[in-house]
Amino acid sequence: MTWAIPCPLQPSLAIAGSAERFPVRRIYCVGQNYAAHAREMGSNPDREPPFFFSKPADAMVPDGATVPYPPGTENLHHEVELVVAIGVGGTNISVETALNHVWGYAIGNDLTRRDLQAEAKKIGRPWDMAKGFDLSAPCGDLRPAAATGHPSAGYIRLSVNDKTRQSSDLSDLIWSVPEVIAHLSSTITLAPGDLIFTGTPEGVGALVPGDTCVAEISGLGQLTTHIGSAAS
Ligand code: MN
């Protein structure tokens, strides 16, 4: 086969301590999966089943990169999240067997154009341009579950310029990783290479050019992201 144009690069994640890389197919994200964050966004966390949105796989940004301040917003927000990497696909995966589908875990930062999201919510439009813009998915090195186990408790936090903005615990997830996988795979078929950003705790806030974001999750190291000046 010959491509009519140069074939786009396969998006992939670095694997901690390995020369191998993890190919990424799709990025799914859970909305409002920590009670205190749902409340700060004006929702009731008690009554709402998990809901999902997507980011393009090529929106991923590696650890240590600089993301130019994106266009079209005056309110770029950080959201630290536990990222699940799917190694074995499936449909209608049960909560009981869900962890057998997980290859590993990473730290993600679900960069969000909050002003565009607020406008989309208000007028009932999709979130794509608020969530799925270029370079909107910083994601740290992937760690195999064989090494980390399946984290269900431990700190999840993010600082901006060394000041803590978000600080919570993975045990505060409303929907656990197995429950997220079960819900998501009941509406779409998960495949090897899919990532799931599992939602952010409270304390989301604005980033400006010159900021340095450091996200940390217990057992998964750190993810550093610099915000640069607007691309010209
Ligand atoms: Mn998020």
Side-chain angles (χ1 to χ4, degrees), residues 29-32 37 53 79 81 110 112 131 197 199-200:
C29 306
V30 186
Q32 299 180 358
H37 173 63
F53 58 91
E79 295 191 354
E81 311 205 358
D110 169 16
T112 301
K131 289 290 197 178
F197 280 54
T200 198

Side-chain angles (χ1 to χ4, degrees), residues 41 69-79 110-119 130 133 165 204-209:
M41 291 286 108
Y69 196 89
T73 185
E74 294 179 349
N75 197 16
L76 176 70
H77 274 206
H78 55 78
E79 295 191 354
D110 169 16
L111 293 178
T112 301
R113 295 194 280 209
R114 193 71 73 200
D115 42 0
L116 299 194
Q117 185 193 31
E119 179 71 5
F133 54 94
R165 293 270 191 96
V204 300
L207 295 167
V208 296

Side-chain angles (χ1 to χ4, degrees), residues 12-230:
S12 66
L13 270 182
I15 297 170
S18 169
E20 294 184 335
R21 295 187 66 88
F22 185 87
V24 174
R25 188 184 80 123
R26 294 179 180 172
I27 302 177
Y28 294 101
C29 306
V30 186
Q32 299 180 358
N33 201 15
Y34 289 80
H37 173 63
R39 284 188 210 102
E40 78 180 350
M41 291 286 108
S43 300
N44 178 347
D46 299 327
R47 288 182 296 135
E48 295 175 10
F51 65 95
F52 299 90
F53 58 91
S54 297
K55 288 176 183 266
D58 70 354
M60 281 192 307
V61 177
D63 181 33
T66 297
V67 173
Y69 196 89
T73 185
E74 294 179 349
N75 197 16
L76 176 70
H77 274 206
H78 55 78
E79 295 191 354
V80 58
E81 311 205 358
L82 173 67
V83 176
V84 178
I86 298 295
V88 178
T91 310
N92 291 320
I93 296 166
S94 70
V95 171
E96 291 71 27
T97 62
L99 293 180
N100 299 336
H101 296 258
V102 175
W103 193 90
Y105 296 90
I107 304 170
N109 190 348
D110 169 16
L111 293 178
T112 301
R113 295 194 280 209
R114 193 71 73 200
D115 42 0
L116 299 194
Q117 185 193 31
E119 179 71 5
K121 283 181 177 178
K122 196 164 80 182
I123 59 181
R125 286 193 179 152
W127 288 10
D128 299 49
M129 293 301 108
K131 289 290 197 178
F133 54 94
D134 296 344
L135 309 179
S136 61
C139 196
D141 292 358
L142 187 58
R143 287 160 203 268
T148 62
H150 295 280
S152 59
Y155 63 78
I156 174 169
R157 58 198 184 209
L158 180 142
S159 68
V160 178
N161 307 331
D162 294 323
K163 286 204 172 127
T164 301
R165 293 270 191 96
Q166 296 186 266
S167 181
S168 185
D169 197 281
L170 295 175
S171 60
D172 288 339
L173 278 167
I174 296 171
W175 301 96
S176 67
V177 168
E179 289 168 334
V180 165
I181 291 170
H183 272 279
L184 182 54
S185 71
S186 74
T187 53
I188 53 90
T189 296
L190 285 169
D194 289 345
L195 301 184
I196 307 170
F197 280 54
T198 58
T200 198
E202 70 278 16
V204 300
L207 295 167
V208 296
D211 280 349
T212 294
C213 257
V214 177
E216 300 177 290
I217 294 177
S218 178
L220 300 182
Q222 292 189 335
L223 164 65
T224 299
T225 307
H226 307 286
I227 305 300
S229 27

